[in-house]
Amino acid sequence: NIKCDLLVVGGGAGGCAMAAKFASKLGKNKVVIVEPKDVHYYQPMFTLIGGGMKTLADSARSMASVLPSKAQWVKDEVAQFSPKLNSVTTKNGDTIEYNFMLVAVGLQLNYDKVKGLEDALAKDPRVCSNFSPQYVDKTFKALQNFQGGPAIFTFPNTPVKCAGAPQKVMYITEEFLRKVGKRDVSDIKYCTSLGVIFGVKKYAAALLELCKKRGIEVNLRQNLIKVKHETSEAVFEYLDKPGETITLKYSLLHATPPMSAPDVLSKCSDLTDKAGYLDVNKTNLQHVKFPNVFGIGDCTNVPTSKTAAAVAGQCGVIKKHLAAVMAGKPLPSAEYDGYTSCPLVTGYSSCILAEFDYDGQPLETFPFNQGKERWSTFFMKKAIMPDLYWHGMLNGYWEGPKIFRKILHFGMGK
Ligand code: FAD
Ligand code: UQ1
């Protein structure tokens, strides 16, 4: 059995960053981090890999090289949470007791919830998905092999990580097809379960305009439920007309899988809300029932768009609040405002950089209109963000661009 001061569950963006922060603060082996995987992927790069702009290897580092050396890495998976006992049990049967715990287990990809999708991903080279390292390499091959016809891009009926990613791949595809002279024989469709193209008005307007300009059909409230690759068909349910479906032929299908909190978390009702996400206070990320438990990132129920940028913003707040709770001091006043950001890559050299808060109000870092397609924000996404992630964020130093936003706006605004 292992005992520790702080247990961090999950070594992804949030877990790795916070383990680094607290391991350096508390000293060697006070922090235990449980993470089963050998490889840590920089998932935001998957969009660029799908467009042939980066390789899967560019997005990968060994887990051993990114986890903080001052923390003890338990290469195992939490199989059960027991928050009333302040312990977890792992798949290999170990029990880990903690004084404080940070839950950072991310989202689970449920490809199996769409009938025939896993089969199609395994057998049909025209079916791809940027969301998993297992499939992301198929996307660019599918683009290169595409000879025209319907190209369909889907958004499922669940929360997803990076809500813009299901359409970024479509804009990249559209530009790719223009470049190779196949755009006029292709028919591009975006089929989304949502009732809007994007949750924030300012950016939704810009994206709808862009779809109009580039001849992309947008179908709202359609949810992919089945893929029949033998007949090249994708079946969607109309979410506003229960029982009714529509079957579309495809020559290319990019599927965004339904997602949920990992089963191990959702099954622990003491920790979760009704939807299965970790139930935390949205201003300080502390668990609503267990004050010695905090959560970060995609697995929590904070009502903001799930991104690494949001995780960065949460890091700064958790750092202060968890440290105060650990020291038995009153909670500081710093609050998480729901900051999140989505670099909506619109092709091979352009990007709309959405940044916003809990109220869906834009919170833009730069003193120019980020709702316009720009090369500068594309360059930031492609060339600057990866290093900021590997060297800044994963070492616990990047807490989001708030400080730059303040400076660039001369201290005015939020
Ligand atoms: P993750 O980074 O997913 O980490 C979760 C970790 O928990 C994993 O390592 C997993 O192995 C581990 N884990 C799971 N279950 C257990 C268990 N039972 N026990 C122990 N460990 C466990 N974000 C942006 O900010 N900008 C972007 O442009 C962007 N683009 C994206 C594009 C794509 C295609 C994808 C897929 C994501 C994108 N994101 C983007 C989102 C971003 O990658 C995630 O929001 C971020 O990684 C969330 O961090 P996290 O720590 O919550 O989860
Ligand atoms: C960000 O902080 C972040 O996390 C490291 C991302 O994930 C890779 C992002 O995509 C973005 C856009 C941000 C926000 C940073 C700036 C400078 C606007």
Side-chain angles (χ1 to χ4, degrees), residues 51-73:
M53 292 176 254
K54 295 272 184 187
T55 66
L56 186 58
D58 293 333
S59 74
R61 299 272 189 282
S62 76
M63 194 58 82
S65 71
V66 298
L67 293 181
S69 54
K70 282 188 179 166
Q72 183 189 345
W73 176 22

Side-chain angles (χ1 to χ4, degrees), residues 42 44 308-309 312 339 341 343 353 355 365-366 380 385 389 393 398 400-401:
Y42 174 57
Y339 173 82
S341 169
L353 179 55
E355 291 182 279
T365 300
F366 300 105
M380 187 201 81
M385 278 298 146
Y389 181 84
M393 184 156 172
W398 175 245

Side-chain angles (χ1 to χ4, degrees), residues 116-128 134-135 138 142 145 227-232 250 253:
L117 179 55
E118 285 183 317
D119 199 36
L121 282 163
K123 295 177 188 155
D124 186 343
R126 303 164 307 163
V127 179
C128 54
Q134 192 186 346
Y135 303 124
K138 289 189 78 184
N145 291 331
V227 180
K228 298 193 270 190
H229 72 89
E230 293 91 348
T231 51
S232 314
Y250 69 80
L253 175 65

